[in-house]
Amino acid sequence: MKTTPTTIRLDDDLKKELNKELKSMGLSINGYFNLAARQLVIQKKVPFEVLAESDEPTETTKKALVAAQAKELGIIPDDALSFNNVNELKSYLDKD
């Protein structure tokens, strides 16, 4: 069977994680993509369930939400800048 070289661009961190997981299963990236491609052709669909990342907020987001609620309730001061119009904002941004 003749093969054709194909280039796939992956995020560096994703590639490291992918290599680690595939190695534990005895597969290479090339073997995995060949397996997935063959199954797609056979099944006429993506051969695995496609999941979204968790909707669970990160620790940073959780902290920001708590701070926003505390400001809203007056527990901590709201020191965020506010402007009455675009010109005030521009003036502020143009200051040295």
Side-chain angles (χ1 to χ4, degrees), residues 43-90:
Q43 297 179 29
K44 306 286 191 253
K45 65 177 189 155
V46 175
F48 46 82
E49 186 178 3
V50 179
L51 303 173
E53 289 192 36
S54 172
D55 288 338
E56 181 69 25
T58 65
E59 285 303 312
T60 302
T61 303
K62 288 177 185 178
K63 288 177 183 177
L65 289 169
V66 168
Q69 289 173 339
K71 288 176 183 179
E72 188 176 290
L73 294 171
I75 297 170
I76 60 174
D78 187 351
D79 54 0
L81 298 174
S82 64
F83 305 94
N84 294 317
N85 57 55
V86 173
N87 290 331
E88 282 184 15
L89 170 61
K90 286 181 181 179

Side-chain angles (χ1 to χ4, degrees), residues 14-32:
L14 175 60
K15 184 178 177 184
K16 286 176 190 172
E17 284 185 57
L18 180 61
N19 268 323
K20 179 183 169 190
E21 294 299 324
L22 290 173
K23 185 176 181 181
S24 73
M25 297 174 200
L27 287 169
S28 65
I29 289 179
N30 187 60
Y32 172 74

